[in-house]
Amino acid sequence: MTKFYAATAIALCFGSAVAAEGTLNLYVWSDSIAPELIEKFSNEYDVQVNVDGYSSNEDLLTKLQAGSSGYDIASPSQHFLRIMIDAGLLENFGANTLDAYANIQEKYRNQWWDETQEYSIPIAYGSAGFAVNTDEYTGPTDSLKYFFEPEGELAGRIAMLSYPDEVVGAAQLYLGVPFCSEDPAEMKRVLDLLMAQKESVAVYSSDNIEGRMGSGEVAAHFWWDGEVVRAAASGAPVEYAMTKEGLVGWIDSLVIPKGAQNRENAIRFIEFISTPENATIQMNHYAHSSPMNVIEAEKKYTVENAPGLYPTVPVVMSRTCSPKAQDLVTRVWTQLLQ
């Protein structure tokens, strides 16, 4: 847990407009929130901010389902956000009445995962696909075929995430199987594909991907666009594949878990991070695209230096599946890892 704290005297020096005081506990994607913004908010509002990170939507859902999480803000992806609303795990904080709502780009408002936009404010969006180490692999990358049916330089030298979320979705895109299929025969095709690929998978892991890729331990890894962009910006020889079958899309939003003890500070933080100025800082840190209106001239990642953030192929958003469909996904993943 990372903590930032500003004493009252320091906050007064910054000329805080509102003396909020108190605590704010975040449970968000690991390393997702710009430390600069955490410190700035802490100073400006005289609030102790505690940050915990997670690496999967499943981890977040499990924590909230257990109750009394102690967290005031979380950042689920769209399909899990819908599950959490339906399960009564989130506060209705009137997001559509905030200034933050007014700064959401029109096309990202009132989507199916929160039709009336009462429970969430989006913070980032992107895609998942595969990346290659260009020192280790020089072949084509314009199809998921090269990743799911690896040959040559990729044989035995690819890695997968350790969760089924976007991995199964990508396999479905490749096979033409619809997301959330309830057809056992269609999902058997997904399982067969992943089982055949397994002999070339060096590891199933969602941790230390940059180290694994940068060192050349593997030649390709299933990954997220922003992480590839950040690794490339730091000098790693990595490239994000634009696959003709499409990419698996996601959008993360800030929400307030039911029963949050610091609800007002949570709302203040959501308003704070959603201004054009701070949304730009957040995008420049996270390296994923922002659904908010940002200051274009101050964007660090552009189509020229970060093409992975500006896909030229279809991006298909993950859906919230029925229990029957989700059970089939779970069966596929369980059998794969046995």
Side-chain angles (χ1 to χ4, degrees):
M1 176 177 284
T2 305
K3 295 184 178 181
F4 296 86
Y5 180 70
T8 302
I10 296 176
L12 290 175
C13 290
F14 278 84
S16 172
V18 179
E21 298 187 344
T23 301
L24 179 66
N25 299 313
L26 307 183
Y27 190 45
V28 292
W29 289 98
S30 297
D31 303 319
S32 62
I33 305 296
E36 172 185 352
L37 292 179
I38 297 291
E39 186 169 8
K40 183 179 175 184
F41 177 80
S42 183
N43 288 339
E44 192 167 321
Y45 289 96
D46 187 21
V47 171
Q48 177 174 310
V49 182
N50 305 314
V51 183
D52 275 350
Y54 56 82
S55 59
S56 78
N57 282 298
E58 288 85 352
D59 289 346
L60 171 60
L61 180 61
T62 299
K63 183 84 74 173
L64 297 188
Q65 286 175 326
S68 302
S69 68
Y71 295 110
D72 305 305
I73 285 180
S75 58
S77 303
Q78 75 285 348
H79 44 326
F80 278 75
L81 171 53
R82 183 71 252 173
I83 292 171
M84 292 171 189
I85 292 175
D86 291 343
L89 297 173
L90 303 180
E91 290 276 345
N92 178 339
F93 62 97
N96 57 11
T97 66
L98 303 181
D99 291 341
Y101 176 77
N103 197 43
I104 303 172
Q105 295 177 39
E106 187 73 29
K107 62 183 176 182
Y108 296 112
R109 295 180 187 174
N110 303 86
Q111 297 296 314
W112 58 265
W113 51 87
D114 186 8
E115 299 93 340
T116 53
Q117 203 81 52
E118 295 174 288
Y119 295 85
S120 65
I121 292 293
I123 187 173
Y125 70 89
S127 63
F130 76 92
V132 298
N133 180 318
T134 54
D135 287 345
E136 304 292 329
Y137 175 70
T138 56
T141 59
D142 61 349
S143 172
L144 288 168
K145 173 180 176 59
Y146 306 111
F147 191 70
F148 283 117
E149 300 181 63
E151 297 178 343
E153 295 170 309
L154 294 183
R157 301 195 62 213
I158 67 173
M160 299 287 274
L161 301 180
S162 56
Y163 296 96
D165 202 358
E166 287 108 341
V167 171
V168 170
Q172 290 172 317
L173 282 178
Y174 178 51
L175 295 172
V177 172
F179 287 179
C180 296
S181 172
E182 296 183 351
D183 184 343
E186 287 185 330
M187 294 307 291
K188 177 66 164 51
R189 292 177 58 208
V190 173
L191 176 61
D192 290 345
L193 176 71
L194 294 175
M195 289 296 290
Q197 181 204 35
K198 186 175 181 178
E199 64 182 33
S200 280
V201 177
V203 62
Y204 293 85
S205 174
S206 300
D207 300 322
N208 191 35
I209 298 174
E210 183 172 356
R212 193 175 298 119
M213 281 287 284
S215 68
E217 178 182 336
V218 296
H221 210 304
F222 203 84
W223 215 0
W224 296 278
D225 55 350
E227 277 69 13
V228 180
V229 166
R230 280 197 287 187
S234 66
V238 295
E239 180 179 293
Y240 192 56
M242 286 293 157
T243 49
K244 61 187 178 185
E245 298 88 354
L247 300 165
V248 181
W250 55 266
I251 182 166
D252 294 338
S253 298
L254 297 177
V255 301
I256 301 178
K258 201 77 170 181
Q261 294 186 354
N262 302 291
R263 187 176 187 275
E264 294 309 310
N265 280 340
I267 293 173
R268 286 189 178 94
F269 183 81
I270 291 170
E271 289 278 47
F272 168 84
I273 203 171
S274 299
T275 65
E277 176 188 0
N278 290 338
T280 306
I281 293 171
Q282 172 60 23
M283 179 180 172
N284 288 343
H285 163 76
Y286 200 24
H288 288 293
S289 298
S290 176
M292 312 302 289
N293 292 310
V294 299
I295 302 173
E296 291 294 320
E298 296 182 7
K299 282 169 54 175
K300 179 178 179 181
Y301 299 109
T302 65
V303 66
E304 290 79 17
N305 63 24
L309 299 189
Y310 303 86
T312 56
V313 298
V315 177
V316 185
M317 301 291 281
S318 295
R319 303 289 301 185
T320 304
C321 298
S322 68
K324 181 177 180 180
Q326 188 57 48
D327 180 61
L328 289 173
V329 171
T330 301
R331 289 187 190 185
V332 165
W333 197 251
T334 301
Q335 291 183 51
L336 175 68
L337 298 187
Q338 282 179 344

